[in-house]
Amino acid sequence: GGRAAAMSAELPCCVVSVGEGPEPCSCSGVILCRGPGLVLCHAAVFSPFLQPGLEAWSRHEAPPASVLPPGLRIRVLHAAPKPDTPPALQEHEAQPLALTRCEAFAQALTGVAASWCGGGEAEGEAEREAAAVLPWFAWLRVPGLDAPGGGWTPWSSAGDLRKGAALLACGSPFGALCPDLFLNTLSGGVLSNAAGEGNALLLTDARCLPGTQGGAVLVGPAPSRPRVVAVIAATSCGAGGPGLALLCSLHAVLRSSRGLLRQLGEPPAPPAPLAAVPGAAPLGCVALVESGGAWGSGTLLAPRLLLTCRHVLQAAQPTTKTPPATVLQARPVFATAEASPFDVAVLELTPISPGCRTGEAVLALGFGALGRACGPSVTGGVLSAVVGAPPVMLQSTCAVHAGSSGGPLLQPHSLSSHSTPLESDASFPFILFALTRVAAPLTDRKSSSHSGAGSIAL
């Protein structure tokens, strides 16, 4: 019990209340510094008080102080440690310093925001405002949090995290409602996904209830002091949402606030790299399966076998995308009947030529020019162009002559090609075209090449 109380008091979270009356607008916040006392929260808590409202969030530049009415009351509630007793709740007055738009987070939001704004295309002013305010955060100056020798709360860059890493969300569900019960509530989860520069946007399956917006997301196992890595931007309980909480990297917010932080003194030091965070997921075993207009997921059972669900497959030929973004053709080799309760399918993946990179050294072998007067000739060059993804045709600078058609093109991986002749009398010996094995999956040939000019006969 004593350790739990101490840990609760050490957590860098608080409740931010804006406005007067018995039910002020409220959310969670993060105490980032105690010298001077600074709190960061999500800017949506100020939406009801903005003048002229939605327009302030639509601009990219920071709005002037006049967007908030003079005399607006802002309070910060936090747990203060007391020796040998449960932490006491303390309340302090706060002043708004700035509203900051996190640009890296805003760019990563493209195509994602609608999931947290009604589950579809935004309809009406409330939904448009919810989407517009997502990348905005508020800095508060709280003199009551100043502490002698106080510094910055430990934090780290989200760019060090990998999918599957363990996260701890800290916030106050329902904001200012019953803080004795809900203040600094913890929820465990993992990093579900990330996007943008330096992982500016993150998703987690940690349960974040309404009111936890602005709360901290922490990394680092006990008993070490956890570090703040992100701020909760939208909760996991929105109507029609995917059940994941939307997070903004703290590093991204600090970068967007450089000008303000310089005015307050020394900005925070660059974060120390994180040690290995437990739980990073082995992503090499999962693949995206696309079939017709449908998509789903698959599990790699072997280098060329993929397990998926039968309902993912449509009439079209399926393709798979395996990390890191390798696109492969696939064909079903087994699928349960639609009436079967077992929804299973197995796909065979078509192998592709390894490592076809422009500029890579290659060798061409063949009986060009001299025919059977002597053994096969060898010429060297580089891959000058790679066509298609996955590659279906290669262009090389190897010197080839009439009679080379059908010979192999060798890479350091021993990839070969077989040429076919062009219907042309012209010859350009330093241009060679090759078809990779993907173009002819039903034969043992790995690719086909031709030498010559003009159109390419496939």
Side-chain angles (χ1 to χ4, degrees), residues 165-427:
L167 300 179
L168 196 64
C170 177
S172 300
F174 317 114
L177 177 65
C178 197
D180 287 326
L181 183 61
F182 295 121
L183 183 68
N184 288 349
T185 297
L186 297 175
S187 176
V190 300
L191 176 60
S192 302
N193 216 326
E197 181 183 359
N199 290 346
L201 182 152
L202 305 101
L203 300 175
T204 182
D205 59 357
R207 293 302 180 190
C208 300
L209 296 174
T212 58
Q213 299 97 317
V217 177
L218 310 166
V219 295
S224 63
R225 190 177 181 187
R227 302 182 187 182
V228 180
V229 73
V231 180
I232 301 169
T235 66
S236 54
C237 301
L244 300 174
L246 181 66
L247 316 177
C248 177
S249 160
L250 177 59
H251 195 185
V253 177
L254 295 177
R255 289 178 60 189
S256 294
S257 308
R258 283 189 297 260
L260 170 67
L261 297 178
R262 290 193 188 101
Q263 297 174 18
L264 297 172
E266 285 295 321
L274 280 171
V277 177
L283 298 180
C285 64
V286 67
L288 171 69
V289 180
E290 295 178 329
S291 179
W295 60 270
S297 301
T299 303
L300 287 168
L301 303 177
R304 293 182 58 183
L305 285 181
L306 188 84
L307 178 68
T308 186
C309 290
R310 183 254 313 144
H311 73 264
V312 171
L313 306 182
Q314 302 293 325
Q317 181 75 7
T319 63
T320 67
K321 185 180 294 183
T322 58
T326 301
V327 180
L328 301 171
Q329 296 293 323
R331 67 180 187 90
V333 294
F334 172 80
T336 55
E338 290 191 17
S340 171
F342 303 104
D343 187 8
V344 174
V346 177
L347 306 179
E348 182 183 27
L349 306 180
T350 302
I352 64 169
S353 303
C356 297
R357 296 186 298 272
T358 302
E360 185 175 7
V362 289
L363 299 174
L365 278 65
F367 288 85
L370 301 177
R372 54 186 175 182
C374 61
S377 300
V378 180
T379 56
V382 299
L383 288 181
S384 49
V386 177
V387 180
V392 294
M393 186 168 66
L394 310 175
Q395 179 182 326
S396 169
T397 60
C398 293
V400 293
H401 304 82
S404 297
S405 297
L409 179 68
L410 305 180
Q411 294 176 278
H413 321 289
S414 297
L415 170 70
S416 65
S417 68
H418 296 266
S419 62
T420 54
L422 286 176
E423 297 297 329
S424 171
D425 293 332
S427 178

